[in-house]
Amino acid sequence: MNKQQIIFLVIWLLNTCPIAVFGQTSRGTIDSLASVLEKLGNKNIESSIYLRTDKNIYETTENLWFKAYSVDLKHFQLSAQDQSLYVQLVQSKNDSVVWEEVYPIKEGLASGHIYLDNALGQGNYWLCAYSSSSVKNKKEQFVDAREIKIIENLKQLDVHRKEQHPDSTRDVPLEFKLFPESGILLAGVRNKIAFKASSKNGRPVEVSGRLFENEKEIAVFKSIHDGMGYFYTQPESGKTYTVQLDQPYQGKAISLPKAAEVGMAFSLLDNTDDTLTLKVFNRSEGPQSFFIQVQARGIPSVIASGEVKDSILVKLPLIEVPYGISEITLMNGSAFPVAERLVYIKPNKKMMITTEVSKSQANKREKIKIKINARDQYGKPDVAHLGAAVYDRIYNEPTDGVDIETHYLVSNQIRGRVHNPSYYFDTSNNRNTAMDLLLLTQGWRSYVWSQEALREMRTYDEPIIANTVSGKLVSKKRKKSDNPQQAAMLFNAEQNVNQLVEVDGTNTFEISPEHMHIGKDVYIKHFGQPADHEFTVVEPFKKLHGAQF
């Protein structure tokens, strides 16, 4: 959305919602806010690679098949920037690279397979993927990877699955944190407080407890999903508020943050597909002007201004707001942020995939037909690029909750490990409440597209890895009268497809992604006698080995 569209939306918003307009000064500030955010958001557009393997658990001497999607993280479209995919297989226990290869990317897609030699030790491995636009910046967490398990035989599966479900008594002690909804606890108004309980190894822990005002119990609470929950309180000035957990986690009282006596805050009242309803609170003397901004992935979507005396309802239209995680920022009259939170926009926007199988049982190598239907949330047919994997259920890893939806809409948007991410997209449970709790407890500071993160993001002119593989053709005994080689021959393993690659005046050649399409393995030879020249190729993974993620 360009700046003119944003301003038009704000003017419409201000004329239809219960918010006062301050005139030209306010609109000038809105114009400036939109411009600043657009510049920050356009600073560095990255992509992310999603890897889909044909199963989760492999035996040695099997082939691991994978498909890769390179997606522009800002617009959620297949990336046109990336042309080469760098893939590594990394052993978890010692973080050592045991295999690596480069594949061509065509229109955002790549595929391939890895032979899992029996020399590979059994254990956990990470299949990691990189591209020129997915590793521009140093990442606090690397998510473009998929965990797999390699075993020598099926008997080891029982041992592996017991390791995935250790005795819960090991989870004590636990960590318990409190999160005021918009980042501030404001005295004299009703505040929503989210909480999260987890074990020392990061696993969620279900808890219950009580809220005290001084020594008086005023509320009880319990977790709703994965150790997360919330309660409400209206703190008064001069009083202390503490939380006491019930057994078996009863211990030292946990203090709430000190309530601010002066300031502004807001609370999310309703989140539908077309409207966000907020309540803005003011505890300052006299009416206060404010701005509210909604931005997703560095794209300014809605900016509104108003004035609040004690409290005011604000309804923000979501027609032009992209679905997924957005950041809501409340700013004072000087456009300084005073309260923020994350929200998931249009939670019901979801493609529904259904399948019809021609046979419920079949013999080995017997043909089965599968009919696949893709429809939007309204039941209308939708266009989709689909992938499917068929394998024996015994090779399934139930703890792997990562799919393309969770990868791009959660893992790439907020920092920190998310337990069982597929739960937040399962329409059969309380996913909307659970998603809101996740965003409240991860905190707006965890949003990778927050304005704070955008300001710190550096612009990189030179990528860490390139889309091409380069090398030199060096003459061993060239006479001055000899003509330099101007080309070399590329061919596949079967030698039935070949292409010429140019050698320039500095004896340098570039193997492009188009060249890589001639076969899984690409070979190169020069013209003339074998002893006259030799090739030197720049190690394509060299810079990647030196990078830290």
Side-chain angles (χ1 to χ4, degrees), residues 201-245:
N201 58 6
R203 293 177 59 197
V205 177
E206 303 303 330
V207 295
S208 61
R210 295 160 291 160
L211 173 65
F212 290 87
E213 181 183 77
N214 293 338
E215 303 297 326
K216 179 183 177 182
E217 180 181 318
I218 58 173
V220 296
F221 61 85
K222 64 178 181 179
S223 54
I224 297 173
H225 171 70
D226 271 357
M228 299 178 292
Y230 66 90
F231 57 84
Y232 288 96
T233 184
Q234 185 165 321
E236 298 180 17
S237 300
K239 295 184 178 180
T240 59
Y241 294 84
T242 57
V243 163
Q244 181 70 62
L245 298 180

mmCIF file of all heavy atoms in Angstrom, residues 201-245:
data_model
loop_
_atom_site.group_PDB
_atom_site.id
_atom_site.type_symbol
_atom_site.label_atom_id
_atom_site.label_comp_id
_atom_site.label_asym_id
_atom_site.label_seq_id
_atom_site.Cartn_x
_atom_site.Cartn_y
_atom_site.Cartn_z
ATOM 1 N N ASN A 201 13.672 -26.694 30.580
ATOM 2 C CA ASN A 201 14.068 -27.034 29.214
ATOM 3 C C ASN A 201 13.111 -26.466 28.174
ATOM 4 O O ASN A 201 13.137 -26.867 27.010
ATOM 5 C CB ASN A 201 14.184 -28.553 29.050
ATOM 6 C CG ASN A 201 12.880 -29.273 29.372
ATOM 7 O OD1 ASN A 201 11.850 -28.640 29.609
ATOM 8 N ND2 ASN A 201 12.915 -30.590 29.374
ATOM 9 N N GLY A 202 12.258 -25.514 28.570
ATOM 10 C CA GLY A 202 11.406 -24.815 27.630
ATOM 11 C C GLY A 202 10.065 -25.450 27.346
ATOM 12 O O GLY A 202 9.275 -24.913 26.564
ATOM 13 N N ARG A 203 9.761 -26.578 27.963
ATOM 14 C CA ARG A 203 8.471 -27.218 27.734
ATOM 15 C C ARG A 203 7.381 -26.511 28.520
ATOM 16 O O ARG A 203 7.593 -26.067 29.654
ATOM 17 C CB ARG A 203 8.528 -28.694 28.132
ATOM 18 C CG ARG A 203 9.427 -29.541 27.260
ATOM 19 C CD ARG A 203 9.489 -30.963 27.774
ATOM 20 N NE ARG A 203 8.173 -31.566 27.801
ATOM 21 C CZ ARG A 203 7.880 -32.665 28.495
ATOM 22 N NH1 ARG A 203 8.812 -33.232 29.250
ATOM 23 N NH2 ARG A 203 6.675 -33.176 28.469
ATOM 24 N N PRO A 204 6.169 -26.374 27.946
ATOM 25 C CA PRO A 204 5.079 -25.702 28.669
ATOM 26 C C PRO A 204 4.625 -26.498 29.878
ATOM 27 O O PRO A 204 4.648 -27.731 29.872
ATOM 28 C CB PRO A 204 3.976 -25.606 27.613
ATOM 29 C CG PRO A 204 4.276 -26.686 26.626
ATOM 30 C CD PRO A 204 5.763 -26.798 26.592
ATOM 31 N N VAL A 205 4.213 -25.784 30.908
ATOM 32 C CA VAL A 205 3.729 -26.398 32.153
ATOM 33 C C VAL A 205 2.379 -25.792 32.499
ATOM 34 O O VAL A 205 2.239 -24.566 32.550
ATOM 35 C CB VAL A 205 4.728 -26.166 33.315
ATOM 36 C CG1 VAL A 205 4.173 -26.739 34.607
ATOM 37 C CG2 VAL A 205 6.082 -26.784 32.985
ATOM 38 N N GLU A 206 1.383 -26.633 32.716
ATOM 39 C CA GLU A 206 0.061 -26.138 33.095
ATOM 40 C C GLU A 206 0.072 -25.760 34.578
ATOM 41 O O GLU A 206 0.557 -26.527 35.421
ATOM 42 C CB GLU A 206 -1.014 -27.200 32.827
ATOM 43 C CG GLU A 206 -1.062 -27.683 31.374
ATOM 44 C CD GLU A 206 -1.286 -26.558 30.389
ATOM 45 O OE1 GLU A 206 -1.941 -25.565 30.758
ATOM 46 O OE2 GLU A 206 -0.795 -26.663 29.248
ATOM 47 N N VAL A 207 -0.450 -24.584 34.899
ATOM 48 C CA VAL A 207 -0.427 -24.072 36.271
ATOM 49 C C VAL A 207 -1.768 -23.434 36.620
ATOM 50 O O VAL A 207 -2.587 -23.147 35.750
ATOM 51 C CB VAL A 207 0.695 -23.017 36.460
ATOM 52 C CG1 VAL A 207 2.071 -23.626 36.286
ATOM 53 C CG2 VAL A 207 0.491 -21.843 35.505
ATOM 54 N N SER A 208 -1.960 -23.218 37.913
ATOM 55 C CA SER A 208 -3.080 -22.422 38.430
ATOM 56 C C SER A 208 -2.551 -21.597 39.587
ATOM 57 O O SER A 208 -1.462 -21.861 40.116
ATOM 58 C CB SER A 208 -4.238 -23.326 38.883
ATOM 59 O OG SER A 208 -3.820 -24.192 39.936
ATOM 60 N N GLY A 209 -3.298 -20.589 39.974
ATOM 61 C CA GLY A 209 -2.822 -19.740 41.059
ATOM 62 C C GLY A 209 -3.837 -18.699 41.479
ATOM 63 O O GLY A 209 -4.989 -18.704 41.019
ATOM 64 N N ARG A 210 -3.383 -17.778 42.336
ATOM 65 C CA ARG A 210 -4.263 -16.743 42.894
ATOM 66 C C ARG A 210 -3.571 -15.391 42.826
ATOM 67 O O ARG A 210 -2.341 -15.303 42.897
ATOM 68 C CB ARG A 210 -4.602 -17.076 44.348
ATOM 69 C CG ARG A 210 -5.435 -18.357 44.533
ATOM 70 C CD ARG A 210 -5.323 -18.891 45.942
ATOM 71 N NE ARG A 210 -3.979 -19.421 46.202
ATOM 72 C CZ ARG A 210 -3.470 -19.589 47.412
ATOM 73 N NH1 ARG A 210 -4.168 -19.230 48.485
ATOM 74 N NH2 ARG A 210 -2.257 -20.096 47.561
ATOM 75 N N LEU A 211 -4.388 -14.359 42.677
ATOM 76 C CA LEU A 211 -3.895 -12.986 42.619
ATOM 77 C C LEU A 211 -4.230 -12.293 43.934
ATOM 78 O O LEU A 211 -5.374 -12.378 44.418
ATOM 79 C CB LEU A 211 -4.534 -12.232 41.454
ATOM 80 C CG LEU A 211 -4.241 -10.731 41.355
ATOM 81 C CD1 LEU A 211 -2.759 -10.477 41.079
ATOM 82 C CD2 LEU A 211 -5.106 -10.089 40.269
ATOM 83 N N PHE A 212 -3.250 -11.598 44.530
ATOM 84 C CA PHE A 212 -3.445 -10.919 45.819
ATOM 85 C C PHE A 212 -3.248 -9.420 45.662
ATOM 86 O O PHE A 212 -2.344 -8.968 44.949
ATOM 87 C CB PHE A 212 -2.442 -11.454 46.849
ATOM 88 C CG PHE A 212 -2.709 -12.867 47.281
ATOM 89 C CD1 PHE A 212 -2.180 -13.932 46.562
ATOM 90 C CD2 PHE A 212 -3.489 -13.127 48.395
ATOM 91 C CE1 PHE A 212 -2.423 -15.243 46.951
ATOM 92 C CE2 PHE A 212 -3.730 -14.438 48.799
ATOM 93 C CZ PHE A 212 -3.197 -15.495 48.072
ATOM 94 N N GLU A 213 -4.116 -8.668 46.339
ATOM 95 C CA GLU A 213 -3.949 -7.223 46.502
ATOM 96 C C GLU A 213 -3.541 -7.001 47.943
ATOM 97 O O GLU A 213 -4.336 -7.246 48.854
ATOM 98 C CB GLU A 213 -5.262 -6.506 46.176
ATOM 99 C CG GLU A 213 -5.168 -4.992 46.296
ATOM 100 C CD GLU A 213 -6.515 -4.339 46.042
ATOM 101 O OE1 GLU A 213 -7.377 -4.378 46.963
ATOM 102 O OE2 GLU A 213 -6.719 -3.827 44.932
ATOM 103 N N ASN A 214 -2.295 -6.560 48.144
ATOM 104 C CA ASN A 214 -1.683 -6.592 49.476
ATOM 105 C C ASN A 214 -1.764 -8.024 49.997
ATOM 106 O O ASN A 214 -1.176 -8.913 49.414
ATOM 107 C CB ASN A 214 -2.347 -5.576 50.405
ATOM 108 C CG ASN A 214 -2.062 -4.140 49.955
ATOM 109 O OD1 ASN A 214 -1.083 -3.881 49.241
ATOM 110 N ND2 ASN A 214 -2.920 -3.210 50.348
ATOM 111 N N GLU A 215 -2.535 -8.302 51.043
ATOM 112 C CA GLU A 215 -2.638 -9.670 51.568
ATOM 113 C C GLU A 215 -3.967 -10.319 51.223
ATOM 114 O O GLU A 215 -4.230 -11.458 51.613
ATOM 115 C CB GLU A 215 -2.464 -9.657 53.093
ATOM 116 C CG GLU A 215 -1.166 -9.043 53.580
ATOM 117 C CD GLU A 215 0.043 -9.824 53.104
ATOM 118 O OE1 GLU A 215 -0.071 -11.071 53.000
ATOM 119 O OE2 GLU A 215 1.091 -9.204 52.821
ATOM 120 N N LYS A 216 -4.805 -9.625 50.464
ATOM 121 C CA LYS A 216 -6.159 -10.106 50.182
ATOM 122 C C LYS A 216 -6.221 -10.786 48.810
ATOM 123 O O LYS A 216 -5.795 -10.223 47.814
ATOM 124 C CB LYS A 216 -7.136 -8.932 50.220
ATOM 125 C CG LYS A 216 -8.578 -9.304 49.929
ATOM 126 C CD LYS A 216 -9.457 -8.060 49.907
ATOM 127 C CE LYS A 216 -10.889 -8.410 49.534
ATOM 128 N NZ LYS A 216 -11.741 -7.192 49.452
ATOM 129 N N GLU A 217 -6.807 -11.995 48.802
ATOM 130 C CA GLU A 217 -6.985 -12.701 47.538
ATOM 131 C C GLU A 217 -8.138 -12.067 46.765
ATOM 132 O O GLU A 217 -9.246 -11.927 47.280
ATOM 133 C CB GLU A 217 -7.288 -14.180 47.787
ATOM 134 C CG GLU A 217 -7.484 -14.982 46.505
ATOM 135 C CD GLU A 217 -7.803 -16.446 46.772
ATOM 136 O OE1 GLU A 217 -7.167 -17.052 47.671
ATOM 137 O OE2 GLU A 217 -8.687 -16.991 46.087
ATOM 138 N N ILE A 218 -7.886 -11.700 45.511
ATOM 139 C CA ILE A 218 -8.925 -11.021 44.735
ATOM 140 C C ILE A 218 -9.289 -11.752 43.437
ATOM 141 O O ILE A 218 -10.283 -11.410 42.793
ATOM 142 C CB ILE A 218 -8.502 -9.575 44.391
ATOM 143 C CG1 ILE A 218 -7.176 -9.571 43.593
ATOM 144 C CG2 ILE A 218 -8.386 -8.721 45.641
ATOM 145 C CD1 ILE A 218 -6.789 -8.194 43.062
ATOM 146 N N ALA A 219 -8.518 -12.767 43.046
ATOM 147 C CA ALA A 219 -8.846 -13.498 41.826
ATOM 148 C C ALA A 219 -8.090 -14.816 41.796
ATOM 149 O O ALA A 219 -7.063 -14.989 42.462
ATOM 150 C CB ALA A 219 -8.491 -12.667 40.585
ATOM 151 N N VAL A 220 -8.629 -15.754 41.030
ATOM 152 C CA VAL A 220 -7.950 -17.026 40.776
ATOM 153 C C VAL A 220 -7.785 -17.163 39.260
ATOM 154 O O VAL A 220 -8.510 -16.551 38.477
ATOM 155 C CB VAL A 220 -8.735 -18.229 41.341
ATOM 156 C CG1 VAL A 220 -8.812 -18.143 42.851
ATOM 157 C CG2 VAL A 220 -10.124 -18.317 40.727
ATOM 158 N N PHE A 221 -6.838 -17.978 38.836
ATOM 159 C CA PHE A 221 -6.592 -18.160 37.409
ATOM 160 C C PHE A 221 -5.992 -19.538 37.170
ATOM 161 O O PHE A 221 -5.499 -20.196 38.090
ATOM 162 C CB PHE A 221 -5.645 -17.074 36.885
ATOM 163 C CG PHE A 221 -4.286 -17.080 37.542
ATOM 164 C CD1 PHE A 221 -3.264 -17.906 37.086
ATOM 165 C CD2 PHE A 221 -4.029 -16.256 38.639
ATOM 166 C CE1 PHE A 221 -2.022 -17.910 37.697
ATOM 167 C CE2 PHE A 221 -2.778 -16.256 39.255
ATOM 168 C CZ PHE A 221 -1.778 -17.093 38.779
ATOM 169 N N LYS A 222 -6.035 -19.980 35.924
ATOM 170 C CA LYS A 222 -5.356 -21.203 35.515
ATOM 171 C C LYS A 222 -5.003 -21.091 34.035
ATOM 172 O O LYS A 222 -5.628 -20.328 33.280
ATOM 173 C CB LYS A 222 -6.211 -22.443 35.770
ATOM 174 C CG LYS A 222 -7.497 -22.507 34.978
ATOM 175 C CD LYS A 222 -8.230 -23.811 35.276
ATOM 176 C CE LYS A 222 -9.526 -23.920 34.469
ATOM 177 N NZ LYS A 222 -10.234 -25.192 34.743
ATOM 178 N N SER A 223 -4.009 -21.838 33.632
ATOM 179 C CA SER A 223 -3.558 -21.772 32.243
ATOM 180 C C SER A 223 -4.620 -22.349 31.310
ATOM 181 O O SER A 223 -5.394 -23.234 31.682
ATOM 182 C CB SER A 223 -2.227 -22.508 32.076
ATOM 183 O OG SER A 223 -2.314 -23.835 32.569
ATOM 184 N N ILE A 224 -4.633 -21.833 30.091
ATOM 185 C CA ILE A 224 -5.610 -22.239 29.085
ATOM 186 C C ILE A 224 -4.981 -23.158 28.047
ATOM 187 O O ILE A 224 -5.572 -24.159 27.643
ATOM 188 C CB ILE A 224 -6.208 -20.995 28.402
ATOM 189 C CG1 ILE A 224 -6.967 -20.144 29.424
ATOM 190 C CG2 ILE A 224 -7.119 -21.388 27.234
ATOM 191 C CD1 ILE A 224 -7.440 -18.807 28.875
ATOM 192 N N HIS A 225 -3.754 -22.825 27.631
ATOM 193 C CA HIS A 225 -3.073 -23.640 26.618
ATOM 194 C C HIS A 225 -1.563 -23.524 26.796
ATOM 195 O O HIS A 225 -1.015 -22.418 26.892
ATOM 196 C CB HIS A 225 -3.464 -23.184 25.209
ATOM 197 C CG HIS A 225 -2.648 -23.821 24.126
ATOM 198 N ND1 HIS A 225 -2.761 -25.155 23.805
ATOM 199 C CD2 HIS A 225 -1.665 -23.322 23.314
ATOM 200 C CE1 HIS A 225 -1.915 -25.446 22.832
ATOM 201 N NE2 HIS A 225 -1.240 -24.356 22.524
ATOM 202 N N ASP A 226 -0.891 -24.667 26.840
ATOM 203 C CA ASP A 226 0.572 -24.726 26.894
ATOM 204 C C ASP A 226 1.170 -23.803 27.944
ATOM 205 O O ASP A 226 2.137 -23.068 27.685
ATOM 206 C CB ASP A 226 1.152 -24.392 25.514
ATOM 207 C CG ASP A 226 1.298 -25.640 24.632
ATOM 208 O OD1 ASP A 226 0.994 -26.743 25.124
ATOM 209 O OD2 ASP A 226 1.713 -25.508 23.466
ATOM 210 N N GLY A 227 0.584 -23.817 29.134
ATOM 211 C CA GLY A 227 1.117 -23.024 30.229
ATOM 212 C C GLY A 227 0.804 -21.545 30.152
ATOM 213 O O GLY A 227 1.276 -20.759 30.981
ATOM 214 N N MET A 228 -0.017 -21.142 29.178
ATOM 215 C CA MET A 228 -0.355 -19.729 28.998
ATOM 216 C C MET A 228 -1.799 -19.469 29.412
ATOM 217 O O MET A 228 -2.674 -20.328 29.263
ATOM 218 C CB MET A 228 -0.163 -19.307 27.540
ATOM 219 C CG MET A 228 1.251 -19.446 27.031
ATOM 220 S SD MET A 228 1.417 -18.981 25.275
ATOM 221 C CE MET A 228 0.481 -20.294 24.472
ATOM 222 N N GLY A 229 -2.052 -18.290 29.922
ATOM 223 C CA GLY A 229 -3.398 -17.883 30.316
ATOM 224 C C GLY A 229 -3.422 -16.391 30.588
ATOM 225 O O GLY A 229 -2.463 -15.671 30.278
ATOM 226 N N TYR A 230 -4.505 -15.925 31.200
ATOM 227 C CA TYR A 230 -4.604 -14.497 31.500
ATOM 228 C C TYR A 230 -5.598 -14.282 32.638
ATOM 229 O O TYR A 230 -6.400 -15.155 32.986
ATOM 230 C CB TYR A 230 -5.043 -13.700 30.264
ATOM 231 C CG TYR A 230 -6.447 -13.992 29.796
ATOM 232 C CD1 TYR A 230 -7.533 -13.261 30.281
ATOM 233 C CD2 TYR A 230 -6.701 -15.009 28.877
ATOM 234 C CE1 TYR A 230 -8.828 -13.537 29.863
ATOM 235 C CE2 TYR A 230 -7.981 -15.294 28.454
ATOM 236 C CZ TYR A 230 -9.046 -14.558 28.947
ATOM 237 O OH TYR A 230 -10.326 -14.839 28.538
ATOM 238 N N PHE A 231 -5.520 -13.109 33.225
ATOM 239 C CA PHE A 231 -6.507 -12.662 34.215
ATOM 240 C C PHE A 231 -6.602 -11.147 34.113
ATOM 241 O O PHE A 231 -5.775 -10.485 33.458
ATOM 242 C CB PHE A 231 -6.125 -13.098 35.629
ATOM 243 C CG PHE A 231 -4.761 -12.639 36.083
ATOM 244 C CD1 PHE A 231 -4.560 -11.374 36.625
ATOM 245 C CD2 PHE A 231 -3.667 -13.488 35.977
ATOM 246 C CE1 PHE A 231 -3.310 -10.948 37.038
ATOM 247 C CE2 PHE A 231 -2.399 -13.079 36.395
ATOM 248 C CZ PHE A 231 -2.224 -11.808 36.933
ATOM 249 N N TYR A 232 -7.637 -10.579 34.731
ATOM 250 C CA TYR A 232 -7.843 -9.128 34.724
ATOM 251 C C TYR A 232 -7.655 -8.570 36.132
ATOM 252 O O TYR A 232 -7.943 -9.242 37.135
ATOM 253 C CB TYR A 232 -9.256 -8.784 34.243
ATOM 254 C CG TYR A 232 -9.482 -9.008 32.762
ATOM 255 C CD1 TYR A 232 -10.064 -10.190 32.303
ATOM 256 C CD2 TYR A 232 -9.120 -8.046 31.832
ATOM 257 C CE1 TYR A 232 -10.279 -10.401 30.956
ATOM 258 C CE2 TYR A 232 -9.335 -8.246 30.476
ATOM 259 C CZ TYR A 232 -9.910 -9.424 30.040
ATOM 260 O OH TYR A 232 -10.129 -9.640 28.706
ATOM 261 N N THR A 233 -7.185 -7.353 36.196
ATOM 262 C CA THR A 233 -7.090 -6.658 37.475
ATOM 263 C C THR A 233 -7.146 -5.146 37.236
ATOM 264 O O THR A 233 -6.756 -4.660 36.164
ATOM 265 C CB THR A 233 -5.780 -7.014 38.209
ATOM 266 O OG1 THR A 233 -5.782 -6.383 39.493
ATOM 267 C CG2 THR A 233 -4.547 -6.527 37.450
ATOM 268 N N GLN A 234 -7.649 -4.438 38.226
ATOM 269 C CA GLN A 234 -7.693 -2.975 38.171
ATOM 270 C C GLN A 234 -6.891 -2.449 39.348
ATOM 271 O O GLN A 234 -7.425 -2.210 40.430
ATOM 272 C CB GLN A 234 -9.144 -2.467 38.232
ATOM 273 C CG GLN A 234 -9.262 -0.959 38.048
ATOM 274 C CD GLN A 234 -10.684 -0.523 37.744
ATOM 275 O OE1 GLN A 234 -11.382 -1.191 37.008
ATOM 276 N NE2 GLN A 234 -11.112 0.611 38.314
ATOM 277 N N PRO A 235 -5.593 -2.272 39.165
ATOM 278 C CA PRO A 235 -4.732 -1.894 40.284
ATOM 279 C C PRO A 235 -5.011 -0.470 40.777
ATOM 280 O O PRO A 235 -5.370 0.406 39.989
ATOM 281 C CB PRO A 235 -3.323 -2.014 39.698
ATOM 282 C CG PRO A 235 -3.513 -1.824 38.233
ATOM 283 C CD PRO A 235 -4.841 -2.400 37.900
ATOM 284 N N GLU A 236 -4.837 -0.300 42.060
ATOM 285 C CA GLU A 236 -4.995 1.018 42.665
ATOM 286 C C GLU A 236 -3.640 1.545 43.110
ATOM 287 O O GLU A 236 -2.743 0.774 43.489
ATOM 288 C CB GLU A 236 -5.933 0.935 43.873
ATOM 289 C CG GLU A 236 -7.351 0.485 43.524
ATOM 290 C CD GLU A 236 -8.243 0.409 44.758
ATOM 291 O OE1 GLU A 236 -7.875 1.005 45.799
ATOM 292 O OE2 GLU A 236 -9.294 -0.259 44.683
ATOM 293 N N SER A 237 -3.500 2.851 43.057
ATOM 294 C CA SER A 237 -2.241 3.474 43.457
ATOM 295 C C SER A 237 -1.939 3.177 44.924
ATOM 296 O O SER A 237 -2.839 3.177 45.771
ATOM 297 C CB SER A 237 -2.309 4.990 43.239
ATOM 298 O OG SER A 237 -2.548 5.285 41.878
ATOM 299 N N GLY A 238 -0.680 2.898 45.231
ATOM 300 C CA GLY A 238 -0.253 2.670 46.602
ATOM 301 C C GLY A 238 -0.412 1.244 47.081
ATOM 302 O O GLY A 238 -0.014 0.932 48.214
ATOM 303 N N LYS A 239 -0.986 0.347 46.279
ATOM 304 C CA LYS A 239 -1.162 -1.043 46.694
ATOM 305 C C LYS A 239 -0.235 -1.947 45.896
ATOM 306 O O LYS A 239 0.147 -1.629 44.770
ATOM 307 C CB LYS A 239 -2.615 -1.486 46.511
ATOM 308 C CG LYS A 239 -3.592 -0.739 47.420
ATOM 309 C CD LYS A 239 -5.002 -1.281 47.279
ATOM 310 C CE LYS A 239 -5.964 -0.557 48.237
ATOM 311 N NZ LYS A 239 -7.354 -1.077 48.124
ATOM 312 N N THR A 240 0.110 -3.073 46.487
ATOM 313 C CA THR A 240 0.988 -4.040 45.826
ATOM 314 C C THR A 240 0.178 -5.250 45.381
ATOM 315 O O THR A 240 -0.776 -5.659 46.046
ATOM 316 C CB THR A 240 2.119 -4.500 46.762
ATOM 317 O OG1 THR A 240 1.552 -5.097 47.933
ATOM 318 C CG2 THR A 240 2.994 -3.331 47.155
ATOM 319 N N TYR A 241 0.609 -5.826 44.271
ATOM 320 C CA TYR A 241 -0.116 -6.957 43.702
ATOM 321 C C TYR A 241 0.865 -8.085 43.424
ATOM 322 O O TYR A 241 1.925 -7.879 42.810
ATOM 323 C CB TYR A 241 -0.832 -6.532 42.419
ATOM 324 C CG TYR A 241 -1.916 -5.523 42.688
ATOM 325 C CD1 TYR A 241 -1.607 -4.165 42.789
ATOM 326 C CD2 TYR A 241 -3.230 -5.921 42.886
ATOM 327 C CE1 TYR A 241 -2.583 -3.224 43.072
ATOM 328 C CE2 TYR A 241 -4.224 -4.989 43.160
ATOM 329 C CZ TYR A 241 -3.899 -3.647 43.250
ATOM 330 O OH TYR A 241 -4.878 -2.720 43.547
ATOM 331 N N THR A 242 0.497 -9.272 43.914
ATOM 332 C CA THR A 242 1.366 -10.441 43.767
ATOM 333 C C THR A 242 0.557 -11.647 43.297
ATOM 334 O O THR A 242 -0.664 -11.695 43.450
ATOM 335 C CB THR A 242 2.065 -10.800 45.089
ATOM 336 O OG1 THR A 242 1.065 -11.015 46.099
ATOM 337 C CG2 THR A 242 3.012 -9.704 45.527
ATOM 338 N N VAL A 243 1.280 -12.603 42.737
ATOM 339 C CA VAL A 243 0.696 -13.861 42.274
ATOM 340 C C VAL A 243 1.312 -14.991 43.080
ATOM 341 O O VAL A 243 2.530 -15.012 43.299
ATOM 342 C CB VAL A 243 0.962 -14.056 40.768
ATOM 343 C CG1 VAL A 243 0.740 -15.500 40.361
ATOM 344 C CG2 VAL A 243 0.073 -13.137 39.959
ATOM 345 N N GLN A 244 0.469 -15.946 43.489
ATOM 346 C CA GLN A 244 0.944 -17.134 44.191
ATOM 347 C C GLN A 244 0.449 -18.361 43.428
ATOM 348 O O GLN A 244 -0.759 -18.532 43.231
ATOM 349 C CB GLN A 244 0.412 -17.166 45.623
ATOM 350 C CG GLN A 244 0.875 -18.363 46.440
ATOM 351 C CD GLN A 244 2.354 -18.297 46.783
ATOM 352 O OE1 GLN A 244 2.801 -17.386 47.470
ATOM 353 N NE2 GLN A 244 3.114 -19.258 46.307
ATOM 354 N N LEU A 245 1.380 -19.197 42.960
ATOM 355 C CA LEU A 245 1.006 -20.397 42.226
ATOM 356 C C LEU A 245 0.579 -21.497 43.186
ATOM 357 O O LEU A 245 1.039 -21.572 44.330
ATOM 358 C CB LEU A 245 2.166 -20.893 41.365
ATOM 359 C CG LEU A 245 2.651 -19.945 40.259
ATOM 360 C CD1 LEU A 245 3.800 -20.592 39.489
ATOM 361 C CD2 LEU A 245 1.520 -19.589 39.321
#
